[in-house]
Amino acid sequence: PVSCGVVGTAAPVVATAEGDDGRWFRQLAVPQGLVDDLVEEALVWCSQHGLVVGEKNHPRSGKAPGVGLLHAPFALLPMSFPKVYWEQALELAPLFNELVHRVSLDGDFLQQTLARTKEVDPFTRRLLDIHSKMMELNKKEDIQLGLTRSDYMVDGATDKLLQVELNTISTSSNGLACGVSELHRNLIRHHERELGLDPASVVGNTAITQHAEALATAWAEYNNQSAVVLVVVQAEERYMYDQYWITVALREMYGVTTIRKTMAEIEAEGDLRPDGTLVINGRPVAVVYFRAGYSPADYPSEAEWRARLLIERSSAIKCPSIAHHLVGTKKIQQELAKEKVLERFLDNKSDIENVRKCFAGLWSLENDNIVNSAIESPELFVLKPQREGGGNNIYGDNLRETLIRLRKDGSNEIAAYILMQRIFPPASPSYLVREGTFVRDNVVSEFGIFGAYLRNKDKVIINDQCGYLLRTKAASLNEGGVVAGYAFLNSIFLT
Ligand code: ADP
Ligand code: MG
Ligand code: MG
């Protein structure tokens, strides 16, 4: 039996300046007298440089660009970040890209691993149904494009970099993450003397240029000059400016046209030519870039599911394919963490070791000992359903009650969830700015490394890390998404 002792301390570790040997994540301190000026300068900078989101209370802010804008939430100064973790995460990026691809090719593994989840989770069932239809058709995806993001936290008790999850669909914030590192560099440059910091230590972010390059290269591989990149979006999207960063880069740097459509519009306007070409209102589509379609709310009717199937049946390059999407489920993450499973997909021993090193404790609810431990000490665990987009996990008393209920019912519903070791990153104070005002809070951070993987048959054209996302939230909170409203954008000050 695995004891709860393995999962670290129950409280966030607070990093102090004293005895700080540079290993710690720490929010950079802001001199008292400088806070108001920095906040004001930062707010002006955001407004002038597109570090913006749609405002919640404005009726049209999610529907039309240019109305109801608000600066994105951000931490006032970057976080000092030890080089060792940065380098470790960069090194892992191509390994995870390759792993996603290899797992995606093993249709039976995906179907079998998710078979029990399928019985109790209608959303996962619909995805798997499309996937098995493609298996029956023996559908091959010659050109595969993955824009991924592997998210990590550093566990304060063990100093280990641990993976929170691996995102394979709609990996967002690539646009705004670039903006915030520019913002921080700018503030530090203007106040270099007062802050005593070198602006060059703020790590520049290449997420937009590299993701645009990957999309443009995929578009070129498709080899149809008149084809467009189709961006799948939600009908209302207050995060649209994050998405516009990449579509504008595609147009300006590569001359590639993008069109934005909801799943319902794709169903209404889309068609397949006899050769498999996806056309929207008669325009051929080279690449389908999903910035929606990851959540049940994106499929309010059968029309959206028909659209997803249409896309999957087509010859367009899907970012991601249904198989790549499924590899990103929490259940697959948990299965890959089991003994001897990585070995099925990766050959190189040291690669396997490096990947495994960043796995936190992950368990299925069929493991009675772990369920007992979690009922006893729910604060040491996170209960996760097969969902994306933040705000879906279960913590604390709620976790305990859910487990007790599931156990009492003896229901198959347990297969909808996985249990994960709760990670407690080191905490330190920071100024957080939202809706034009700041608070000072004790915070923790999660950081993600974007990746790009492009392959045409046997040829790997791109397999690289592509910049980063650093998100900071109050240490007292459970969840941490920026879109979901919990976290603040931040950047890395390498030490
Ligand atoms: P999603 O796909 O919805 O983003 P995540 O697994 O990333 O799901 O969980 C959402 C948030 O919950 C994370 O951003 C993080 O703040 C928190 N979280 C998830 N797993 C853990 C964990 N093991 N320990 C601590 N916090 C976690
Ligand atoms: Mg996710
Ligand atoms: Mg996440």
Side-chain angles (χ1 to χ4, degrees):
V2 183
S3 87
C4 273
V6 297
V7 297
T9 58
V13 179
V14 179
T16 56
E18 233 171 281
D20 185 348
D21 55 8
R23 283 179 313 141
W24 291 110
F25 287 95
R26 191 163 41 82
Q27 300 298 318
L28 294 172
V30 188
Q32 265 300 311
L34 205 56
V35 177
D36 288 323
D37 283 354
L38 281 179
V39 170
E40 188 178 330
E41 279 171 44
L43 291 172
V44 171
W45 194 96
C46 290
S47 314
Q48 295 199 308
H49 294 84
L51 193 51
V52 291
V53 294
E55 204 237 313
K56 248 197 326 282
N57 301 318
H58 193 289
R60 290 175 61 220
S61 66
K63 294 185 196 127
V67 293
L69 275 64
L70 182 72
H71 74 90
F74 60 88
L76 191 53
L77 283 186
M79 183 169 81
S80 83
F81 196 96
K83 227 187 206 132
V84 284
Y85 297 122
W86 172 250
E87 280 164 2
Q88 188 186 345
L90 288 191
E91 214 175 289
L92 285 167
L95 298 181
F96 275 115
N97 287 340
E98 186 64 37
L99 179 64
V100 169
H101 180 68
R102 296 207 183 168
V103 175
S104 80
L105 295 179
D106 194 339
D108 292 331
F109 173 80
L110 291 173
Q111 288 285 340
Q112 280 159 20
T113 305
L114 290 160
R116 294 202 56 220
T117 310
K118 180 178 174 171
E119 287 169 28
V120 291
D121 180 351
F123 179 64
T124 307
R125 177 168 56 76
R126 296 303 297 261
L127 296 174
L128 281 168
D129 285 346
I130 295 176
H131 178 254
S132 56
K133 270 198 192 113
M134 294 308 118
M135 283 177 77
E136 277 160 32
L137 293 173
N138 200 18
K139 178 90 167 55
K140 292 273 177 284
E141 299 294 330
D142 284 344
I143 310 176
Q144 287 272 10
L145 173 65
L147 297 182
T148 56
R149 199 188 67 228
S150 182
D151 289 335
Y152 305 91
M153 284 175 165
V154 167
D155 183 47
T158 57
D159 282 353
K160 273 194 188 155
L161 181 82
L162 297 179
Q163 187 182 49
V164 174
E165 64 152 348
L166 179 62
N167 293 289
T168 58
I169 183 165
S170 192
T171 50
S172 73
S173 298
N174 41 9
L176 298 185
C178 292
V180 79
S181 67
E182 287 304 312
L183 163 69
H184 283 159
R185 248 195 205 165
N186 190 275
L187 290 177
I188 292 175
R189 193 166 54 236
H190 282 165
H191 298 275
E192 207 167 341
R193 237 175 344 109
E194 299 119 292
L195 291 169
L197 299 169
D198 178 4
S201 295
V202 180
V203 180
N205 204 330
T206 53
I208 281 304
T209 46
Q210 285 189 272
H211 273 183
E213 185 189 1
L215 281 163
T217 312
W219 175 86
E221 287 291 315
Y222 190 80
N223 200 20
N224 177 346
Q225 287 294 319
S226 61
V228 297
V229 170
L230 168 63
V231 187
V232 184
V233 296
Q234 294 177 345
E236 280 204 44
E237 179 59 270
R238 289 191 302 105
Y239 222 55
M240 68 173 93
Y241 304 99
D242 181 57
Q243 301 167 354
Y244 282 124
W245 275 106
I246 190 146
T247 53
V248 170
L250 263 175
R251 187 182 64 220
E252 292 188 349
M253 295 166 67
Y254 300 96
V256 174
T257 304
T258 54
I259 53 174
R260 293 168 65 85
K261 296 283 175 192
T262 64
M263 297 282 256
E265 287 167 337
I266 292 166
E267 205 262 346
E269 300 167 22
D271 216 343
L272 286 195
R273 287 185 183 154
D275 69 352
T277 305
L278 175 65
V279 287
I280 302 288
N281 280 334
R283 299 185 85 170
V285 174
V287 182
V288 183
Y289 175 38
F290 284 91
R291 291 296 296 253
Y294 54 83
S295 131
D298 293 339
Y299 302 82
S301 74
E302 283 303 307
E304 287 78 11
W305 285 112
R306 282 196 295 273
R308 185 74 193 258
L309 184 61
L310 183 80
I311 292 168
E312 207 58 35
R313 282 170 48 220
S314 80
S315 66
I317 302 165
K318 296 114 199 139
C319 178
S321 66
I322 196 84
H324 271 224
H325 181 173
L326 288 167
V327 177
T329 55
K330 274 80 183 171
K331 182 65 198 171
I332 296 293
Q333 180 187 9
Q334 179 252 313
E335 184 71 17
L336 289 171
K338 277 193 190 164
E339 243 176 87
K340 297 260 169 16
V341 180
L342 275 181
E343 282 79 354
R344 286 178 59 178
F345 301 105
L346 298 175
D347 322 306
N348 183 302
K349 262 207 165 122
S350 80
D351 287 352
I352 293 171
E353 220 167 90
N354 286 339
V355 168
R356 181 163 292 128
K357 247 196 304 206
C358 79
F359 285 167
L362 287 153
W363 304 274
S364 91
L365 272 64
E366 282 146 47
N367 183 330
D368 263 342
N369 289 324
I370 281 299
V371 173
N372 284 336
S373 302
I375 289 173
E376 214 165 280
S377 312
E379 70 283 359
L380 302 183
F381 295 86
V382 183
L383 184 62
K384 297 190 176 187
Q386 309 308 308
R387 291 290 177 274
E388 291 298 324
N392 300 300
N393 299 333
I394 302 173
Y395 302 84
D397 290 343
N398 209 348
L399 184 156
R400 168 186 282 144
E401 282 154 25
T402 306
L403 289 181
I404 290 174
R405 176 177 62 77
L406 290 176
R407 175 173 277 188
K408 203 166 70 205
D409 294 354
S411 85
N412 294 336
E413 204 194 323
I414 59 164
Y417 299 94
I418 63 147
L419 268 170
M420 185 171 181
Q421 159 194 352
R422 179 148 183 184
I423 308 162
F424 292 100
S428 59
S430 169
Y431 289 93
L432 304 173
V433 187
R434 171 182 283 152
E435 297 184 13
T437 54
F438 69 85
V439 291
R440 190 169 183 274
D441 211 335
N442 208 34
V443 302
V444 295
S445 292
E446 172 176 0
F447 88 108
I449 296 287
F450 291 107
Y453 187 83
L454 177 64
R455 174 179 192 118
N456 192 344
K457 295 190 183 141
D458 286 341
K459 193 166 137 221
V460 177
I461 300 164
I462 300 174
N463 181 9
D464 208 355
Q465 57 84 15
C466 297
Y468 68 99
L469 169 67
L470 185 71
R471 290 174 292 180
T472 293
K473 61 166 185 174
S476 56
L477 287 180
N478 294 322
E479 289 274 324
V482 176
V483 192
Y486 305 100
F488 297 74
L489 296 162
N490 203 344
S491 72
I492 288 179
F493 189 92
L494 219 49
T495 52

